[in-house]
Amino acid sequence: MKIIETWRKKAENGSPEERNYFYAYYLEEEKKAYEKLLAQYPEGFEGTVAELAQHFDLDEDVLGGFLEGINDSLKEKLSVEELELNSHIKLDIDLHSLYYNMLGAKAKWLYELPEWDALLSKEEKMSIRSSFRQDTTLRSKKIGRNDPCPCGSGKKYKYCCME
């Protein structure tokens, strides 16, 4: 069975209390894995899924969730849907992307880990945060007098709703 399938079954099945317990357990394990990963960066993380699970001291199914979460921060994305215990993988991490994605996930317990201080300067972290805020801030487009009216009438704004 693919490790991601096992992960999803545990994450989605069971009573609400069981799922809450599982997520609390997962988030704590994820934090420990990121602490280890960041402390050992830039050491390459390469091997089979089973070896990486052992390296990070994670259950294989928990590693499935971890890999799904970190996949967007890798220089070469993994085929997470296809991974099995004997699948060989390499985690080549883009630190800026990882920090940015942690901001997007609102994972304060991860992007505030002290291990980041040795990897990114305060200025780099602030720059990433600034980029994140710019990318996620909604801006309304100002409607010009001669633009089509947003009400959908087909008339110019100045002859329709602006009047």
Side-chain angles (χ1 to χ4, degrees):
M1 180 180 276
K2 312 284 187 212
I3 63 166
I4 199 66
E5 292 172 11
T6 308
W7 157 254
R8 288 184 180 146
K9 281 182 183 176
K10 282 192 173 183
E12 296 167 0
N13 295 336
S15 68
E17 295 82 22
E18 290 171 327
R19 287 193 307 271
N20 286 341
Y21 176 79
F22 176 74
Y23 276 114
Y25 167 75
Y26 170 74
L27 293 176
E28 190 58 37
E29 293 298 303
E30 177 189 45
K31 181 179 176 184
K32 290 177 194 172
Y34 274 114
E35 287 171 339
K36 193 170 197 176
L37 182 139
L38 294 172
Q40 295 175 352
Y41 187 85
E43 175 187 318
F45 300 99
E46 188 171 358
T48 64
V49 170
E51 290 169 345
L52 286 176
Q54 186 177 20
H55 177 78
F56 288 113
D57 196 26
L58 296 173
D59 296 336
E60 287 90 1
D61 55 331
V62 172
L63 182 67
F66 178 78
L67 292 175
E68 185 176 42
I70 200 171
N71 201 27
D72 286 338
S73 303
L74 299 176
K75 293 176 184 172
E76 280 188 49
K77 301 218 182 315
L78 302 171
S79 299
V80 177
E81 301 291 332
E82 303 300 318
L83 293 179
E84 295 179 349
L85 289 177
N86 61 352
S87 301
H88 189 273
I89 58 174
K90 181 179 180 184
L91 302 181
D92 191 9
I93 300 159
D94 177 352
L95 286 179
H96 288 85
S97 178
L98 180 61
Y99 193 82
Y100 184 96
N101 291 335
M102 287 178 175
L103 291 169
K106 297 180 175 74
K108 187 175 184 173
W109 65 95
L110 296 177
Y111 64 76
E112 287 188 349
L113 287 172
E115 287 80 3
W116 279 111
D117 295 339
L119 301 171
L120 297 175
S121 68
K122 189 174 185 176
E123 292 77 21
E124 287 175 301
K125 288 189 272 187
M126 292 305 293
S127 173
I128 296 168
R129 286 176 187 241
S130 176
S131 294
F132 176 77
R133 278 194 296 275
Q134 285 179 344
D135 293 347
T136 57
T137 301
L138 294 175
R139 294 176 184 85
S140 61
K141 182 183 172 216
K142 186 174 179 182
I143 303 167
R145 295 172 31 101
N146 292 313
D147 290 338
C149 190
C151 76
S153 66
K155 297 178 182 179
K156 288 185 178 184
Y157 181 58
K158 67 182 177 185
Y159 295 124
C160 190
C161 293
M162 186 176 158
E163 293 182 333

